């Protein structure tokens, strides 16, 4: 395949490190892989290579996407969870990076601080891919943008409103990605949940170059006017203490994505969510917190989640195609 490894040897740690053209090329490469997969065309371009997946936090989509994408590309995979290896407890990130670099051709890392994945990349001599940190979730954004492109035929000029805890990995990464791609991004949250000032400043500067815009808005009804995409994420992220649920529910409830909000947006609006989502009582945590705080839904109503405007499962599938593109481009 022509131009496959256009980021050869590079890490994939955050979208701030990539140019708009590189992001666009990854999305188009993913679309191409998706077409091949649907047509049953084999694409084992990296036969004989092996990758390691380090997950310090749990995962369904990201892990499965890396595993299946790697196998489709002809590669072998080793999964290391937070308990089953020496990482952190008996061996530092720096030592782990150098050990795994001798055995593998690429390393995925999901963990806590962004500094950890950056440190791993500093010491590794093979590409390192960020599978989620507290600050950023860059592979998710590629899947989101592929999904948006499939739906609207474009990314630039799309108005995306992020509702809820906008200062964490999803809010931050969507804001960076939107700025890079010339989208109109709105972080809709109470002041305390808005992204950090320095990141907002950086993204505004990028948006000024790409024709996009970055807006912070506390009023949901104002924010969703003319929105093409309403996006949300859980109110309590992995690694956060259970004790924050009460405060989050009380402060973020006005930002729940419900039918009234969807109806106030553009005619063609879609609902997106990185998943997993608390839209009913069918999970242990959803049930426990729902019963404790007398609610049946959290960040999104079941009605919106299950509606025709919800494209969350197409979005989830696209994790695999876009992660495949990231590996193929960097290996
Ligand atoms: N969206 C996402 O990253 O899902 P997982 O936590 O299941 O990987
Ligand atoms: N903000 C969420 C994203 C999950 C994909 C978390 O970090 O748990």
């Amino acid at each position: 395949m022509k131009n496959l490894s256009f980021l050869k040897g590079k890490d994939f740690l955050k979208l701030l490190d990539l140019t708009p053209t590189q992001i666009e090329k990854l999305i188009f490469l993913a679309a191409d892989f998706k077409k091949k997969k649907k047509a049953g065309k084999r694409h084992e371009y990296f036969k004989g290579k092996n990758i390691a997946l380090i997950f310090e936090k749990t995962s369904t989509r990201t892990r499965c996407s890396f595993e299946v994408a790697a196998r489709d590309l002809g590669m072998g995979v080793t999964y290391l969870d937070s308990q089953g290896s020496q990482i952190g407890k008996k061996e530092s990130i720096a030592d782990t990076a150098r050990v795994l670099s001798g055995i593998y051709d690429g390393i995925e890392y999901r963990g806590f601080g962004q500094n950890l994945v950056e440190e791993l990349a500093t010491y590794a001599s093979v590409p390192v891919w960020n599978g989620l940190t507290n600050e950023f979730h860059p592979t998710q954004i590629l899947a989101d943008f592929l999904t948006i492109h499939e739906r609207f035929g474009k990314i630039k000029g799309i108005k995306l409103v992020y509702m809820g805890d906008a200062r964490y990995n999803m809010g931050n990464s969507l804001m960076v990605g939107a700025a890079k791609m010339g989208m109109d991004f709105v972080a809709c949250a109470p002041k305390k949940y808005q992204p950090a000032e320095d990141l907002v400043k950086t993204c505004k500067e990028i948006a000024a170059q790409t024709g996009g815009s970055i807006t912070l808005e506390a009023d949901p009804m104002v924010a969703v006017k003319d929105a093409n995409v309403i996006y949300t994420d859980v109110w309590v992220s992995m690694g956060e203490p259970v004790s924050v649920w009460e405060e989050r529910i009380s402060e973020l409830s006005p930002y729940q994505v419900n039918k009234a909000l969807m109806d106030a947006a553009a005619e063609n609006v879609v609902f997106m969510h990185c998943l997993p989502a608390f839209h009913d009582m069918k999970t242990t945590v959803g049930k426990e917190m729902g019963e404790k705080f007398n609610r049946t839904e959290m960040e999104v109503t079941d009605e919106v989640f299950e509606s025709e405007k919800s494209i969350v499962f197409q979005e989830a599938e696209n994790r695999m195609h876009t992660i495949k593109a990231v590996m193929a481009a960097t290996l």
Side-chain angles (χ1 to χ4, degrees):
M1 234 168 118
K2 220 174 109 205
N3 280 339
L4 191 64
S5 302
F6 62 92
L7 295 171
K8 196 173 171 63
K10 295 221 183 316
D11 303 309
F12 185 79
L13 305 178
K14 56 186 183 302
L15 293 180
L16 282 170
D17 302 335
L18 277 82
T19 65
T21 308
Q22 287 169 336
I23 296 173
E24 197 175 72
K25 278 174 88 172
L26 284 170
I27 294 165
F28 289 144
L29 180 58
D32 201 57
F33 275 133
K34 186 170 180 176
K35 237 186 266 160
K36 280 198 169 63
K37 176 101 176 170
K38 302 273 176 208
K41 284 191 191 152
R42 297 178 82 117
H43 40 279
E44 293 159 325
Y45 305 133
F46 296 91
K47 238 183 175 147
K49 291 198 186 284
N50 292 286
I51 63 163
L53 308 179
I54 305 171
F55 279 85
E56 307 265 30
K57 291 176 177 171
T58 51
S59 168
T60 296
R61 277 145 292 272
T62 311
R63 176 188 175 175
C64 297
S65 295
F66 269 100
E67 290 210 15
V68 170
R71 288 197 195 106
D72 285 354
L73 291 171
M75 301 193 285
V77 182
T78 303
Y79 173 76
L80 299 161
D81 69 17
S82 63
Q83 301 306 312
S85 78
Q86 315 287 21
I87 302 168
K89 296 173 290 288
K90 289 173 67 184
E91 197 153 39
S92 68
I93 291 276
D95 292 355
T96 303
R98 287 172 288 182
V99 169
L100 295 182
S101 293
I103 302 172
Y104 293 96
D105 301 285
I107 306 166
E108 179 277 351
Y109 182 83
R110 167 173 285 197
F112 295 87
Q114 178 74 14
N115 60 312
L116 299 174
V117 75
E118 301 270 354
E119 187 182 357
L120 188 73
T122 301
Y123 287 93
S125 53
V126 297
V128 171
W129 308 300
N130 179 358
L132 178 146
T133 61
N134 296 347
E135 291 89 344
F136 294 114
H137 195 7
T139 61
Q140 177 71 50
I141 308 310
L142 294 181
D144 298 342
F145 288 1
L146 172 60
T147 313
I148 287 171
H149 193 273
E150 288 172 342
R151 185 70 173 206
F152 296 102
K154 63 175 190 174
I155 300 170
K156 192 178 165 70
I158 292 294
K159 178 173 175 181
L160 187 152
V161 180
Y162 181 86
M163 306 284 305
D165 186 357
R167 65 197 166 159
Y168 218 69
N169 43 27
M170 284 311 306
N172 288 345
S173 307
L174 280 165
M175 181 169 70
V176 173
K180 292 260 178 185
M181 301 313 286
M183 298 168 81
D184 294 312
F185 176 83
V186 182
C188 184
K191 198 162 185 345
K192 126 179 197 200
Y193 293 95
Q194 281 170 354
E197 257 175 49
D198 53 344
L199 189 62
V200 171
K201 185 171 174 281
T202 304
C203 289
K204 282 190 173 174
E205 284 164 9
I206 298 168
Q209 301 293 315
T210 61
S213 65
I214 305 293
T215 308
L216 308 181
E217 173 59 58
D219 183 335
M221 280 299 171
V222 173
V224 300
K225 189 175 177 298
D226 300 326
N228 308 111
V229 179
I230 298 181
Y231 199 118
T232 193
D233 181 18
V234 290
W235 291 337
V236 179
S237 286
M238 289 181 279
E240 295 196 286
V242 178
S243 57
V244 300
W245 269 99
E246 186 169 7
E247 185 185 67
R248 296 289 163 81
I249 288 177
S250 113
E251 292 173 345
L252 294 175
S253 286
Y255 299 85
Q256 181 195 57
V257 181
N258 53 33
K259 189 170 180 299
L261 214 59
M262 294 295 286
D263 287 347
E267 186 72 35
N268 64 1
V269 68
V270 292
F271 171 70
M272 297 182 74
H273 191 309
C274 53
L275 305 183
F278 292 119
H279 59 96
D280 59 22
M281 301 275 274
K282 295 178 188 160
T283 63
T284 319
V285 176
K287 188 166 183 295
E288 195 185 325
M289 292 303 142
E291 280 169 359
K292 191 164 175 193
F293 299 105
N294 201 21
R295 305 174 62 95
T296 53
E297 305 144 325
M298 298 290 175
E299 73 274 11
V300 57
T301 60
D302 199 47
E303 184 181 21
V304 169
F305 187 90
E306 296 293 355
S307 72
E308 279 187 355
K309 288 184 178 291
S310 171
I311 54 171
V312 295
F313 296 112
Q314 179 186 343
E315 185 185 357
E317 178 194 324
N318 283 340
R319 296 298 309 286
M320 198 281 285
H321 307 298
T322 41
I323 280 172
K324 190 182 287 176
V326 168
M327 290 196 288
T330 52
L331 282 171

